[in-house]
Amino acid sequence: MTPQITAARVVVPGDAPRTVWMLERGEGVTASDAWHIARAGIKARRTIVEQKMNGSTFRGNKATKAGHAREAALLDEAAERLASLTPNAALWAALDNDLHRATPDAIGIDQDGALVVVEVKSHEFGWDSWSIPVEHMAQMQWQIHVLGADYALYGFEVRDEDDMPPVGGATWIPVPRDEEMIAYLVDRADNFIAWRDAGCPDVDDLPDEVADAVAAWAPLKRDLDAAMKAEKAANEKVKAATAKLPGAQRFGAVGMTEHGGFQTTVSETVSIDEVAWKAAAPEVHAHVEALRVELAVLEASALKHFPRTTRKAPALKFQEVEHVNN
């Protein structure tokens, strides 16, 4: 039986026709598109709205179908880690906002009675990430929000060259609630829904402080972009002309004109000639290659067990307004 859930209701049961499921899914913001919506600009939002209205053309590929085929086996593994687990195909909606919707792979109860949403992923050979991709993290936080869960259980496996699952089973990571991410996703989802309900206007409804700052920045950025484009073309002409000066290709060049001066520099780097080394000392080279592999394995394990996240300051990019005739 499905665990008792008091924060959400079933909008579409798991055995409903796909057309009904897709229609109701398109009405709201679901876990699989919560991160995309949160990060989408106006152009991307319009694409999302169109897909929700008309249905996505994506019907899966070899990789997604193979991953889906492994879902039942992965949920069996998840069941071993919980007191109870129920596979889920139903579409759920949060009671406090009917348009916040999610379909976790399974819903469970752990040994302490906590409500758990379960998300499983099966990757093709070559997947090399041991951390949780941000879109998967957002997907689970949205599921936690919609169902009122205490945490999520994330399981992933990487199939081998023969498309077989790992002998030791999947990797399982408990994912606690991230209230900051949930608040961000909720704010952006509600913003998207309000924008859609307003007829998908060309511009966002932003605080005056933000709008005024962009109004001052935009014309300067346009002028700067135009100047940089012109400078790049002129720069290439100067490089081509000065490259013909004696010794410029190896040593660089310097000069002054009545309009200003120039200086070009040439840099050199020294690296190991692997082919020559291997030919001259094959045993030593082979030993070093083995050490390199061993070091890579150890560092991969360290990254898995001792991850450190470094967050850079937000980068700023300019986008032109796109006027759409309705």
Side-chain angles (χ1 to χ4, degrees):
M1 294 180 61
T2 302
Q4 184 67 30
I5 297 173
T6 59
R9 70 177 183 90
V10 173
V11 179
V12 180
D15 58 356
R18 178 173 174 78
T19 53
V20 176
W21 190 87
M22 290 299 295
L23 180 64
E24 291 293 339
R25 184 179 185 276
E27 284 291 319
V29 174
T30 61
S32 59
D33 58 25
W35 181 250
H36 187 196
I37 284 173
R39 303 294 297 156
I42 295 293
K43 184 177 180 180
R45 280 185 168 194
R46 288 199 175 95
T47 301
I48 294 169
V49 169
E50 181 180 353
Q51 290 177 343
K52 284 183 172 291
M53 289 177 60
N54 303 322
S56 173
T57 58
F58 182 70
R59 294 292 181 266
N61 52 33
K62 180 181 177 182
T64 58
K65 290 176 181 177
H68 183 72
R70 287 289 303 156
E71 185 173 302
L74 288 169
L75 292 181
D76 286 342
E77 283 192 43
E80 298 175 1
R81 289 162 172 78
L82 298 170
S84 67
L85 179 141
T86 302
N88 174 70
L91 177 66
W92 293 80
L95 291 183
D96 60 358
N97 192 323
D98 190 67
L99 295 181
H100 294 185
R101 300 179 176 181
T103 306
D105 291 332
I107 305 168
I109 299 293
D110 71 7
Q111 286 74 10
D112 297 323
L115 180 64
V116 185
V117 291
V118 180
E119 190 65 29
V120 296
K121 307 290 183 183
S122 182
H123 301 292
E124 289 185 303
F125 176 72
W127 178 271
D128 61 357
S129 175
W130 288 97
S131 60
I132 301 176
V134 66
E135 61 271 21
H136 294 177
M137 180 65 75
Q139 182 179 3
M140 288 183 286
Q141 294 301 329
W142 189 257
Q143 292 169 355
I144 290 171
H145 157 65
V146 170
L147 276 79
D150 295 291
Y151 66 93
L153 181 62
Y154 180 75
F156 74 94
E157 66 177 14
V158 181
R159 305 188 299 277
D160 64 17
E161 300 97 319
D162 299 318
D163 208 35
M164 298 298 292
V167 176
T171 298
W172 296 94
I173 306 174
V175 179
R177 288 182 69 101
D178 184 336
E179 298 295 353
E180 184 178 16
M181 177 175 272
I182 289 174
Y184 170 72
L185 294 173
V186 168
D187 176 76
R188 296 302 295 159
D190 290 345
N191 181 281
F192 168 80
I193 293 168
W195 172 82
R196 182 184 64 182
D197 292 346
C200 305
D202 290 339
V203 298
D204 289 314
D205 183 15
L206 296 167
D208 290 342
E209 181 181 9
V210 175
D212 292 344
V214 174
W217 172 58
L220 299 174
K221 185 65 170 68
R222 290 190 186 97
D223 291 344
L224 177 61
D225 287 346
M228 289 180 64
K229 183 177 181 181
E231 190 278 335
K232 181 178 180 181
N235 183 291
E236 292 300 323
K237 289 184 178 180
V238 172
K239 285 181 179 178
T242 57
K244 300 174 184 178
L245 294 174
Q249 295 288 357
R250 181 178 178 185
F251 305 109
V254 62
M256 178 62 68
T257 77
E258 59 182 309
H259 303 289
F262 66 88
Q263 182 173 22
T264 64
T265 57
V266 178
S267 62
E268 294 182 348
T269 59
V270 179
S271 60
I272 298 173
D273 186 334
E274 298 282 346
V275 175
W277 186 13
K278 184 176 181 180
E283 293 184 359
V284 174
H285 187 270
H287 179 61
V288 171
E289 284 287 81
L291 291 175
R292 287 171 173 170
V293 172
E294 183 179 358
L295 177 61
V297 171
L298 291 172
E299 289 184 336
S301 177
L303 179 62
K304 177 182 176 182
H305 293 96
F306 310 104
R308 183 179 68 178
T309 300
T310 302
R311 185 173 293 119
K312 296 181 180 179
L316 181 62
K317 296 176 66 176
F318 179 70
Q319 293 181 318
E320 284 289 359
V321 177
E322 293 192 4
H323 297 286
V324 177
N325 295 322
N326 295 321

